[in-house]
Amino acid sequence: MLTRIDCSTHEEVYRVTDRESGLEGLIAIHSTQAGPAAGGLRMRVYRGFDEALADVLALSRGMTYKNAAAGLPLGGGKAVILGDPRTDKTEAKLRAMGRAVAELEGRYWTAEDMGMSPEDMKVLAGEAEFVAGLADGRFASGDPSPITAQGVFNALKIGAARHFGSADLKGRRVAVQGLGHVGWYLCDYLAGEGAQLIVADTVAARVEEAQAKFGAELAAPDEIHRVVADVFAPCAIGGILNGQTVPELRASMICGAANNQLADDAAADALHARGILYLPDYVANGGGIINAATEILRIENRPRFVAERLAQLEQTMRGILAAAARQDTSPAHVADATVEQGMALRRAG
Ligand code: NAD
């Protein structure tokens, strides 16, 4: 059942419940100005409904910015299911969420996010047409994580060229927080270039695997942000750059896959004041939605579309970093201003 929640900052926000399956979730459509709202479905444990609501509102807004930065004709939306994906996920809950997505008649397209897999997307697709990230089918785009990681890696090299004077990552120390879908692929790219990895994950087995495969050093999940490194790559949770962590950072550049890394604008300013280069998350991690967009937009030549859009995204990142350096401000502010200007132009046109 969809119950509308009044929200002046978003076009539509719904609480999603299903008594039979016990589903408790939310869908937020921030904007459909550029096209149907698109953004993944996340499942995780929240401290309560209010925390889940704050998350879905911030994430859906972030998707509007991410899709705009990637030049996609898509708006921003997001969905969440409250619960532990390892123990609380059931087919009945996924089906109920699928029916909720169907009720929105294409104003919101969902896909895979934290706690979801392509198999889960298949279950949702049994109920709704508006599901991307499927493993098979004519326009299926599959798991977006490898492309997300590729985009983050490209961004990291752009940042390194600017900040360290060379894009070569050989011998650079990179601290990766989160060895999930994206973090793992990112480690693969980084290790392939000869970077020295320091890794953390809340799942011990994952960390041990990384130690064996990449020769990575290990750090505790609550220590990884403050290890001595050239780059800190947040690939787990949002809000990791905040009033407490920023003063503790010992890396001089931040580039990772996690959404909403900055707890607030003050965190962006604090990073800038410390001379730490922050690569805007929604530009660095746009590869995943570019990949999913091929399914939503029914693109025939997926590899070409993805390659072209990733190259454009690299140009966008270069432009943002150059402008931020000229203006002596955080790249986060330049990215937001660039996107907002584009949206205002579209509104005016
Ligand atoms: P995932 O669920 O596969 O991986 C997250 C990993 O982080 C897990 O291994 C988990 O154990 C670990 N983790 C959780 N809390 C942690 C903590 N406090 N410290 C260290 N590790 C912790 O998710 P994912 O798909 O790899 O996505 C990672 C991040 O990137 C998320 O913020 C997601 O929203 C964002 N993102 C993902 C994609 C994508 O294509 N999957 C695209 C854009 C953005």
Side-chain angles (χ1 to χ4, degrees), residues 59-202:
L59 288 165
S60 55
R61 179 177 185 275
M63 286 308 303
T64 299
Y65 281 68
K66 187 189 301 199
N67 291 331
L72 297 169
L74 297 172
K78 201 88 183 181
V80 299
I81 296 179
L82 287 79
D84 186 334
R86 282 167 301 185
T87 51
D88 302 331
K89 199 196 288 176
T90 62
E91 182 174 338
K93 281 184 188 170
L94 295 176
R95 285 201 173 282
M97 184 49 102
R99 288 193 296 277
V101 171
E103 262 191 67
L104 298 173
E105 298 178 320
R107 296 197 296 290
Y108 167 62
W109 273 78
T110 198
E112 189 195 343
D113 191 54
M114 264 172 94
M116 288 291 138
S117 68
E119 294 72 49
D120 297 331
M121 289 302 114
K122 195 171 175 181
V123 176
L124 267 87
E127 303 288 339
E129 187 189 329
F130 317 106
V131 180
L134 296 172
D136 36 50
R138 176 142 178 248
F139 293 100
S141 63
D143 178 6
S145 311
I147 307 288
T148 303
Q150 194 183 332
V152 174
F153 179 69
N154 294 345
L156 206 145
K157 283 175 78 71
I158 290 166
R162 196 157 189 105
H163 203 54
F164 306 126
S166 166
D168 187 359
L169 299 174
K170 192 165 189 314
R172 290 258 167 241
R173 287 174 62 81
V174 185
V176 180
Q177 180 184 43
L179 298 168
H181 288 89
V182 186
W184 191 266
Y185 285 114
L186 179 63
C187 285
D188 228 358
Y189 277 115
L190 292 167
E193 277 245 331
Q196 176 59 48
L197 300 176
I198 309 108
V199 299
D201 198 293
T202 43

